[in-house]
Amino acid sequence: MLGSGGREHALSWKLAQSRVIAKEGGKLFASPGNPGIAEHAECFDVDVTDHDLVVAFCEEEQIGLVVIGPEAPLVDGLADSLRAEGIAVFGPSKAAAQLEGSKAFTKELCDRADIPTAGYARTTSLEQAVAALNDFEPPYVLKADGLAAGKGVVIAENRKDAEEALADMFGGQFGAAGAEVVIEEFMEGEEASFFALTDGATIVAFGSAQDHKRVGEGDTGPNTGGMGAYSPAPIITPELRAEVIQKIVAPTVRQLADEGTPYSGVLYAGLMLTDEGPKLVEYNCRFGDPECQVLMMRLEDDLADYMLACANNSLASMPRPGFAPDTAMTVVMAAKGYPGTPEKGGAIDLKDAEAGGAKVFHAGTTLDDDGMLRASGGRVLNVTARGADIRAAQDAAYAATKKVDFPSGFYRKDIGWREIARG
């Protein structure tokens, strides 16, 4: 397992339960991991940008499967380097990972495959971008083309704000990610997330979720990497799921295969559910964070079986994965100052937060020399629980959250509000 966040803790927790590992007398390694992941795996530190070093470790330890958690190593082509040495990998190639690595790549693929998405303009300079605003109505959706840790999207309510935001983006606000900017039409509707596994040919639905991107209650304030999530998303009905696969996911997988860059791994489709039907907002080439946490809480089958089937092109032989029928919810506890400059070093005492079946996934934590758990990032913990329905899951998640002693942290107190309001 490569990665150190809440997503990787959830995946490690689930993989540690795998019959595959137990049957083979195997071992789970994680790099760099975190204190939570260390409960399930042997943590070590390897520079994922040094592909030869990663390959050497895998060969020395006879690693049977590498799971690449975050997006950056995938976009960097680590999966290709491992596969070239005969090492099985869960995650797409560098070429296929451009689905997340470049907004413009995905929009142009949607054009070629006739996939419903927002109208757009690809711009490579501030002057070109400002001129392109003439083709859109406010509010303006502005996206840094490259990877920006989930924070490269600006929604500008008027022309003046849009021009100022574009100046910031081309001026280096998002680093190299903002060297190009995609301007999109604003889509009206509700957002939801759909997940599918694929080996490049077979597609298997792998659950739905809804997350809360804004930092404040009522979905207000700046965007974050996600302040909480729940699964399933009832708004994605079985009929809608079939439409998403038919009109969005399947054409994507087919187009990439036809172009010689088959996609293998998890495909995470961010959707806008509009009056005209579901439209693609964006693709991620890895499990979402914190959506992964709620998916893993509900998954009843062996995760390693499905990851290996993707890696070995044998997904067609697998049964449909089983998920618990109840609801899982996760509440993100963040350090004060997030999503700006977070306050690091705050002490954390988990006490008995996991009593009653809840699970606390570590996202940005470290242990000091005295063994005290401390905050080391913006999003610090994901307190996750299940319940018979959305309200029961919310009650369980917040009951566990209140047991965590984290004075320099904060969390939203309304995760799941939209679904609960629907009754």
Side-chain angles (χ1 to χ4, degrees):
M1 168 62 62
L2 297 177
S4 62
R7 168 182 51 231
E8 288 78 29
H9 186 184
L11 293 173
S12 297
W13 171 73
K14 201 66 185 177
L15 287 170
Q17 303 167 32
S18 171
R19 295 182 301 276
V20 174
I21 293 176
K23 181 176 64 179
E24 303 279 339
K27 192 174 187 179
L28 184 62
F29 291 92
S31 176
N34 64 37
I37 294 173
E39 297 175 6
H40 316 291
E42 180 177 320
C43 294
F44 67 104
D45 201 1
V46 64
D47 181 1
V48 294
T49 66
D50 187 334
H51 296 191
D52 290 341
L53 201 59
V54 178
V55 167
F57 177 86
C58 292
E59 290 178 339
E60 181 179 346
E61 296 293 341
Q62 298 181 307
I63 300 297
L65 175 69
V66 177
V67 178
I68 304 176
E71 61 275 21
L74 292 167
V75 173
D76 187 44
L78 179 58
D80 302 82
S81 298
L82 290 162
R83 289 192 180 104
E85 300 302 324
I87 300 167
V89 185
F90 180 79
S93 67
K94 179 176 183 175
Q98 285 302 298
L99 279 179
E100 182 168 1
S102 170
K103 306 291 191 301
F105 173 92
T106 298
K107 301 300 279 192
E108 291 172 355
L109 180 139
C110 287
D111 286 345
R112 297 195 300 275
D114 196 25
I115 294 168
T117 188
Y120 74 100
R122 180 178 187 175
T123 66
T124 58
S125 71
L126 176 59
E127 294 74 20
Q128 184 186 17
V130 170
L133 292 175
N134 295 329
D135 298 327
F136 297 86
E137 298 291 333
Y140 304 94
V141 181
L142 316 173
K143 296 183 176 181
D145 180 64
L147 298 179
K151 300 173 186 176
V153 179
V154 176
I155 298 176
E157 296 296 333
N158 55 59
R159 177 74 180 236
K160 178 176 178 293
D161 289 349
E163 291 186 8
E164 290 177 355
L166 287 170
D168 289 339
M169 294 170 90
F170 280 106
Q173 179 183 14
F174 300 114
E180 293 189 22
V181 174
V182 173
I183 302 173
E184 293 186 5
E185 72 170 312
F186 182 82
M187 292 190 289
E188 295 280 357
E190 187 168 344
E191 288 193 59
S193 302
F194 176 78
F195 298 84
L197 300 183
T198 181
D199 57 8
T202 300
I203 298 167
V204 174
F206 206 72
S208 63
Q210 284 188 287
D211 75 335
H212 296 259
K213 289 292 187 191
R214 302 279 187 166
V215 72
E217 267 103 38
D219 294 329
T220 58
N223 268 329
T224 72
M227 293 299 294
Y230 56 90
S231 175
I235 197 169
I236 299 185
T237 62
E239 295 77 18
L240 190 57
R241 179 181 65 197
E243 185 177 359
V244 169
I245 293 174
Q246 177 190 356
K247 295 182 178 180
I248 297 177
V249 177
T252 300
V253 172
R254 187 164 54 246
Q255 186 72 27
L256 288 171
D258 289 347
E259 294 178 1
T261 55
Y263 189 100
S264 175
V266 61
L267 197 52
Y268 163 12
L271 307 170
M272 185 68 75
L273 308 181
T274 75
D275 291 340
E276 299 173 343
K279 294 186 178 183
L280 181 69
V281 175
E282 64 181 6
Y283 272 127
N284 290 329
C285 60
R286 36 72 190 183
F287 283 106
D289 189 350
E291 295 92 340
C292 181
Q293 290 81 315
V294 288
L295 288 174
M296 292 304 109
M297 283 291 282
R298 294 184 54 236
L299 180 63
E300 294 182 321
D301 282 326
D302 194 319
L303 178 62
D305 283 338
Y306 287 88
M307 287 182 161
L308 282 166
C310 288
N312 298 329
N313 302 310
S314 59
L315 197 56
S317 67
M318 297 294 293
R320 181 175 174 176
F323 287 86
D326 56 6
T327 298
M329 180 177 289
T330 190
V331 177
V332 171
M333 301 189 78
K336 290 177 181 176
Y338 179 79
T341 303
E343 181 181 323
K344 296 185 179 181
I348 303 167
D349 186 351
L350 298 181
K351 297 185 176 178
D352 57 347
E354 294 188 342
K359 180 65 183 175
V360 180
F361 295 113
H362 294 230
T365 66
T366 188
L367 290 174
D368 66 17
D369 293 339
D370 296 324
M372 171 65 73
L373 191 65
R374 294 191 179 275
S376 62
R379 293 186 296 168
V380 180
L381 301 169
N382 312 134
V383 186
T384 313
R386 279 168 46 175
D389 54 27
I390 184 72
R391 191 173 294 277
Q394 186 189 58
D395 289 345
Y398 279 109
T401 301
K402 290 174 183 176
K403 295 176 183 177
V404 177
D405 185 11
F406 180 23
S408 63
F410 74 97
Y411 57 92
R412 280 184 55 168
K413 299 175 177 62
D414 65 344
I415 302 301
W417 71 268
R418 192 185 300 272
E419 190 58 40
I420 287 174
R422 275 193 275 264

